[in-house]
Amino acid sequence: MIPTRPPFAAGTPVRSSSSRRARRTTIRPAWLGRLDDLLGAVKRAPLGVLLMVVLAVATVCAISQIPMRERLRAQARIGALLSTAPVLLVGDSISYLAAPRLLCDEAVFNASIPGDRIADLVADAREYAPRRQTKRVVVAVGVNDAWPHHRTIASWIADYRRLVTLYAGHDLVLVEINPPEVSRQRFPKPLDLNFIAQPNEAIRAIAAKTGARLVPAPQSIHTSDGLHPTPAGTDLWRARLSQAACI
């Protein structure tokens, strides 16, 4: 009798049909299940909801392409329409960081934009000056105009006077430009200290002529980088503002 050959070679483990089926079974990723749930929800959602979702996504994508300064400017203009604060503060990054919530026990709307110069405030004044709620306007600007290759002092003063004229009829508080903390400066190009001194003289003269309240520049400041105030510097900035505005 001819011996039959065993179905498997000696030493080869025999796999059951159930183990072979297990090998062919793939584990479905959890995220794929969540995607299916999301697609199912989208299919069941009313058309109006879908349009709102599409609009929201498109808005987020569009906003993400807008430069930060212009995004902050748009937010400030919208906020000004909704705010009932009687005090309007316009300025640059220093007042953006240091603005108080209250000034002389009245709410403050902070429309300061980091990086703004005097020309930016003149342009924005056409938006803010008509606000009926505004009783007092605090102007704190100038340091960004002192970077190298700046404009002439005569044109800067002309714009500052134009700004004061646009806010005529309000109780004006004019803040002199803070001197930089030279020992802590971390910027590649230094500010023009002579340029800062000249606008401060002009601000003092304009305040005296118009009857605006004046916040004098401090002799020294506390900054994190030579320009922007530390928490202690912020407290000092607010204290000087209150002392001048609330007397």
mmCIF file of all heavy atoms in Angstrom, residues 43-70:
data_model
loop_
_atom_site.group_PDB
_atom_site.id
_atom_site.type_symbol
_atom_site.label_atom_id
_atom_site.label_comp_id
_atom_site.label_asym_id
_atom_site.label_seq_id
_atom_site.Cartn_x
_atom_site.Cartn_y
_atom_site.Cartn_z
ATOM 1 N N LYS A 43 -25.578 64.995 6.280
ATOM 2 C CA LYS A 43 -26.634 64.579 5.356
ATOM 3 C C LYS A 43 -28.018 64.823 5.950
ATOM 4 O O LYS A 43 -28.971 65.146 5.243
ATOM 5 C CB LYS A 43 -26.468 63.097 5.017
ATOM 6 C CG LYS A 43 -25.259 62.799 4.137
ATOM 7 C CD LYS A 43 -25.128 61.302 3.899
ATOM 8 C CE LYS A 43 -23.884 60.996 3.050
ATOM 9 N NZ LYS A 43 -23.719 59.532 2.854
ATOM 10 N N ARG A 44 -28.131 64.694 7.277
ATOM 11 C CA ARG A 44 -29.435 64.856 7.916
ATOM 12 C C ARG A 44 -29.755 66.304 8.246
ATOM 13 O O ARG A 44 -30.892 66.638 8.539
ATOM 14 C CB ARG A 44 -29.497 64.019 9.206
ATOM 15 C CG ARG A 44 -29.440 62.512 8.986
ATOM 16 C CD ARG A 44 -29.729 61.762 10.281
ATOM 17 N NE ARG A 44 -28.759 62.076 11.308
ATOM 18 C CZ ARG A 44 -27.614 61.414 11.487
ATOM 19 N NH1 ARG A 44 -27.307 60.401 10.680
ATOM 20 N NH2 ARG A 44 -26.782 61.746 12.453
ATOM 21 N N ALA A 45 -28.737 67.192 8.221
ATOM 22 C CA ALA A 45 -28.938 68.576 8.638
ATOM 23 C C ALA A 45 -29.762 69.345 7.609
ATOM 24 O O ALA A 45 -29.647 69.118 6.408
ATOM 25 C CB ALA A 45 -27.585 69.267 8.826
ATOM 26 N N PRO A 46 -30.577 70.293 8.078
ATOM 27 C CA PRO A 46 -31.331 71.146 7.153
ATOM 28 C C PRO A 46 -30.390 72.002 6.312
ATOM 29 O O PRO A 46 -29.249 72.280 6.712
ATOM 30 C CB PRO A 46 -32.183 72.020 8.089
ATOM 31 C CG PRO A 46 -32.187 71.309 9.392
ATOM 32 C CD PRO A 46 -30.890 70.570 9.479
ATOM 33 N N LEU A 47 -30.867 72.459 5.168
ATOM 34 C CA LEU A 47 -30.033 73.244 4.257
ATOM 35 C C LEU A 47 -29.543 74.525 4.912
ATOM 36 O O LEU A 47 -28.390 74.939 4.724
ATOM 37 C CB LEU A 47 -30.836 73.579 2.990
ATOM 38 C CG LEU A 47 -30.093 74.404 1.921
ATOM 39 C CD1 LEU A 47 -28.845 73.665 1.461
ATOM 40 C CD2 LEU A 47 -31.023 74.709 0.755
ATOM 41 N N GLY A 48 -30.404 75.176 5.712
ATOM 42 C CA GLY A 48 -30.001 76.425 6.361
ATOM 43 C C GLY A 48 -28.826 76.237 7.297
ATOM 44 O O GLY A 48 -27.903 77.053 7.344
ATOM 45 N N VAL A 49 -28.829 75.117 8.038
ATOM 46 C CA VAL A 49 -27.724 74.828 8.952
ATOM 47 C C VAL A 49 -26.437 74.603 8.172
ATOM 48 O O VAL A 49 -25.360 75.081 8.548
ATOM 49 C CB VAL A 49 -28.055 73.606 9.830
ATOM 50 C CG1 VAL A 49 -26.857 73.206 10.673
ATOM 51 C CG2 VAL A 49 -29.258 73.893 10.707
ATOM 52 N N LEU A 50 -26.543 73.875 7.076
ATOM 53 C CA LEU A 50 -25.360 73.610 6.248
ATOM 54 C C LEU A 50 -24.777 74.915 5.710
ATOM 55 O O LEU A 50 -23.558 75.102 5.698
ATOM 56 C CB LEU A 50 -25.728 72.681 5.085
ATOM 57 C CG LEU A 50 -26.093 71.243 5.454
ATOM 58 C CD1 LEU A 50 -26.458 70.460 4.208
ATOM 59 C CD2 LEU A 50 -24.947 70.565 6.182
ATOM 60 N N LEU A 51 -25.645 75.808 5.266
ATOM 61 C CA LEU A 51 -25.161 77.089 4.747
ATOM 62 C C LEU A 51 -24.471 77.902 5.829
ATOM 63 O O LEU A 51 -23.453 78.557 5.585
ATOM 64 C CB LEU A 51 -26.332 77.886 4.159
ATOM 65 C CG LEU A 51 -26.934 77.338 2.862
ATOM 66 C CD1 LEU A 51 -28.149 78.151 2.444
ATOM 67 C CD2 LEU A 51 -25.893 77.335 1.742
ATOM 68 N N MET A 52 -25.013 77.859 7.058
ATOM 69 C CA MET A 52 -24.386 78.575 8.171
ATOM 70 C C MET A 52 -23.011 78.009 8.478
ATOM 71 O O MET A 52 -22.056 78.751 8.746
ATOM 72 C CB MET A 52 -25.280 78.502 9.408
ATOM 73 C CG MET A 52 -26.553 79.323 9.299
ATOM 74 S SD MET A 52 -27.623 79.144 10.753
ATOM 75 C CE MET A 52 -26.560 79.834 12.017
ATOM 76 N N VAL A 53 -22.886 76.677 8.441
ATOM 77 C CA VAL A 53 -21.589 76.041 8.697
ATOM 78 C C VAL A 53 -20.585 76.443 7.625
ATOM 79 O O VAL A 53 -19.435 76.800 7.931
ATOM 80 C CB VAL A 53 -21.750 74.509 8.752
ATOM 81 C CG1 VAL A 53 -20.382 73.834 8.793
ATOM 82 C CG2 VAL A 53 -22.574 74.095 9.958
ATOM 83 N N VAL A 54 -21.015 76.405 6.369
ATOM 84 C CA VAL A 54 -20.125 76.780 5.268
ATOM 85 C C VAL A 54 -19.695 78.236 5.410
ATOM 86 O O VAL A 54 -18.523 78.584 5.234
ATOM 87 C CB VAL A 54 -20.820 76.545 3.911
ATOM 88 C CG1 VAL A 54 -19.997 77.148 2.776
ATOM 89 C CG2 VAL A 54 -21.023 75.055 3.680
ATOM 90 N N LEU A 55 -20.641 79.105 5.756
ATOM 91 C CA LEU A 55 -20.328 80.522 5.932
ATOM 92 C C LEU A 55 -19.352 80.732 7.080
ATOM 93 O O LEU A 55 -18.415 81.532 6.979
ATOM 94 C CB LEU A 55 -21.615 81.310 6.184
ATOM 95 C CG LEU A 55 -21.457 82.823 6.383
ATOM 96 C CD1 LEU A 55 -20.834 83.448 5.145
ATOM 97 C CD2 LEU A 55 -22.804 83.465 6.687
ATOM 98 N N ALA A 56 -19.552 80.003 8.181
ATOM 99 C CA ALA A 56 -18.654 80.136 9.332
ATOM 100 C C ALA A 56 -17.238 79.698 8.976
ATOM 101 O O ALA A 56 -16.258 80.365 9.323
ATOM 102 C CB ALA A 56 -19.185 79.317 10.504
ATOM 103 N N VAL A 57 -17.123 78.568 8.268
ATOM 104 C CA VAL A 57 -15.801 78.079 7.867
ATOM 105 C C VAL A 57 -15.130 79.073 6.930
ATOM 106 O O VAL A 57 -13.936 79.379 7.060
ATOM 107 C CB VAL A 57 -15.923 76.691 7.208
ATOM 108 C CG1 VAL A 57 -14.584 76.265 6.604
ATOM 109 C CG2 VAL A 57 -16.394 75.654 8.216
ATOM 110 N N ALA A 58 -15.906 79.591 5.966
ATOM 111 C CA ALA A 58 -15.345 80.559 5.022
ATOM 112 C C ALA A 58 -14.894 81.827 5.735
ATOM 113 O O ALA A 58 -13.840 82.404 5.415
ATOM 114 C CB ALA A 58 -16.381 80.895 3.957
ATOM 115 N N THR A 59 -15.670 82.263 6.739
ATOM 116 C CA THR A 59 -15.312 83.466 7.497
ATOM 117 C C THR A 59 -14.020 83.265 8.269
ATOM 118 O O THR A 59 -13.143 84.134 8.285
ATOM 119 C CB THR A 59 -16.448 83.846 8.465
ATOM 120 O OG1 THR A 59 -17.647 84.058 7.715
ATOM 121 C CG2 THR A 59 -16.104 85.103 9.244
ATOM 122 N N VAL A 60 -13.901 82.110 8.934
ATOM 123 C CA VAL A 60 -12.676 81.812 9.684
ATOM 124 C C VAL A 60 -11.468 81.799 8.756
ATOM 125 O O VAL A 60 -10.402 82.354 9.070
ATOM 126 C CB VAL A 60 -12.814 80.465 10.425
ATOM 127 C CG1 VAL A 60 -11.475 80.036 11.003
ATOM 128 C CG2 VAL A 60 -13.860 80.570 11.524
ATOM 129 N N CYS A 61 -11.618 81.167 7.591
ATOM 130 C CA CYS A 61 -10.512 81.109 6.627
ATOM 131 C C CYS A 61 -10.140 82.509 6.143
ATOM 132 O O CYS A 61 -8.957 82.847 6.008
ATOM 133 C CB CYS A 61 -10.884 80.230 5.444
ATOM 134 S SG CYS A 61 -11.053 78.479 5.856
ATOM 135 N N ALA A 62 -11.149 83.336 5.900
ATOM 136 C CA ALA A 62 -10.879 84.693 5.418
ATOM 137 C C ALA A 62 -10.191 85.528 6.485
ATOM 138 O O ALA A 62 -9.224 86.250 6.213
ATOM 139 C CB ALA A 62 -12.184 85.356 4.982
ATOM 140 N N ILE A 63 -10.683 85.428 7.735
ATOM 141 C CA ILE A 63 -10.101 86.212 8.825
ATOM 142 C C ILE A 63 -8.652 85.816 9.070
ATOM 143 O O ILE A 63 -7.802 86.657 9.375
ATOM 144 C CB ILE A 63 -10.939 86.042 10.109
ATOM 145 C CG1 ILE A 63 -12.290 86.742 9.945
ATOM 146 C CG2 ILE A 63 -10.205 86.574 11.332
ATOM 147 C CD1 ILE A 63 -13.234 86.539 11.102
ATOM 148 N N SER A 64 -8.356 84.533 8.923
ATOM 149 C CA SER A 64 -6.989 84.068 9.176
ATOM 150 C C SER A 64 -5.989 84.665 8.195
ATOM 151 O O SER A 64 -4.781 84.668 8.458
ATOM 152 C CB SER A 64 -6.931 82.538 9.108
ATOM 153 O OG SER A 64 -7.213 82.094 7.795
ATOM 154 N N GLN A 65 -6.477 85.166 7.046
ATOM 155 C CA GLN A 65 -5.591 85.761 6.053
ATOM 156 C C GLN A 65 -5.370 87.256 6.283
ATOM 157 O O GLN A 65 -4.513 87.863 5.636
ATOM 158 C CB GLN A 65 -6.179 85.550 4.641
ATOM 159 C CG GLN A 65 -6.434 84.096 4.279
ATOM 160 C CD GLN A 65 -5.181 83.248 4.380
ATOM 161 O OE1 GLN A 65 -4.126 83.640 3.885
ATOM 162 N NE2 GLN A 65 -5.297 82.093 5.014
ATOM 163 N N ILE A 66 -6.155 87.853 7.195
ATOM 164 C CA ILE A 66 -6.042 89.289 7.447
ATOM 165 C C ILE A 66 -4.889 89.542 8.413
ATOM 166 O O ILE A 66 -4.780 88.868 9.437
ATOM 167 C CB ILE A 66 -7.353 89.831 8.047
ATOM 168 C CG1 ILE A 66 -8.519 89.572 7.093
ATOM 169 C CG2 ILE A 66 -7.240 91.320 8.343
ATOM 170 C CD1 ILE A 66 -9.866 89.950 7.670
ATOM 171 N N PRO A 67 -4.000 90.514 8.126
ATOM 172 C CA PRO A 67 -2.912 90.833 9.059
ATOM 173 C C PRO A 67 -3.456 91.184 10.443
ATOM 174 O O PRO A 67 -4.561 91.733 10.575
ATOM 175 C CB PRO A 67 -2.240 92.049 8.400
ATOM 176 C CG PRO A 67 -2.587 91.936 6.950
ATOM 177 C CD PRO A 67 -3.953 91.316 6.906
ATOM 178 N N MET A 68 -2.675 90.857 11.471
ATOM 179 C CA MET A 68 -3.135 91.010 12.844
ATOM 180 C C MET A 68 -3.576 92.438 13.160
ATOM 181 O O MET A 68 -4.624 92.650 13.791
ATOM 182 C CB MET A 68 -2.028 90.592 13.816
ATOM 183 C CG MET A 68 -2.414 90.744 15.287
ATOM 184 S SD MET A 68 -3.893 89.801 15.740
ATOM 185 C CE MET A 68 -3.241 88.137 15.687
ATOM 186 N N ARG A 69 -2.816 93.444 12.728
ATOM 187 C CA ARG A 69 -3.185 94.828 13.045
ATOM 188 C C ARG A 69 -4.549 95.182 12.466
ATOM 189 O O ARG A 69 -5.363 95.813 13.127
ATOM 190 C CB ARG A 69 -2.134 95.800 12.504
ATOM 191 C CG ARG A 69 -0.912 95.966 13.408
ATOM 192 C CD ARG A 69 0.018 97.006 12.854
ATOM 193 N NE ARG A 69 -0.585 98.327 12.842
ATOM 194 C CZ ARG A 69 -0.216 99.303 12.026
ATOM 195 N NH1 ARG A 69 0.721 99.101 11.130
ATOM 196 N NH2 ARG A 69 -0.797 100.481 12.092
ATOM 197 N N GLU A 70 -4.790 94.777 11.225
ATOM 198 C CA GLU A 70 -6.069 95.100 10.605
ATOM 199 C C GLU A 70 -7.208 94.296 11.236
ATOM 200 O O GLU A 70 -8.346 94.754 11.303
ATOM 201 C CB GLU A 70 -5.996 94.848 9.096
ATOM 202 C CG GLU A 70 -4.988 95.752 8.392
ATOM 203 C CD GLU A 70 -5.112 97.209 8.832
ATOM 204 O OE1 GLU A 70 -6.233 97.751 8.809
ATOM 205 O OE2 GLU A 70 -4.085 97.806 9.216
#
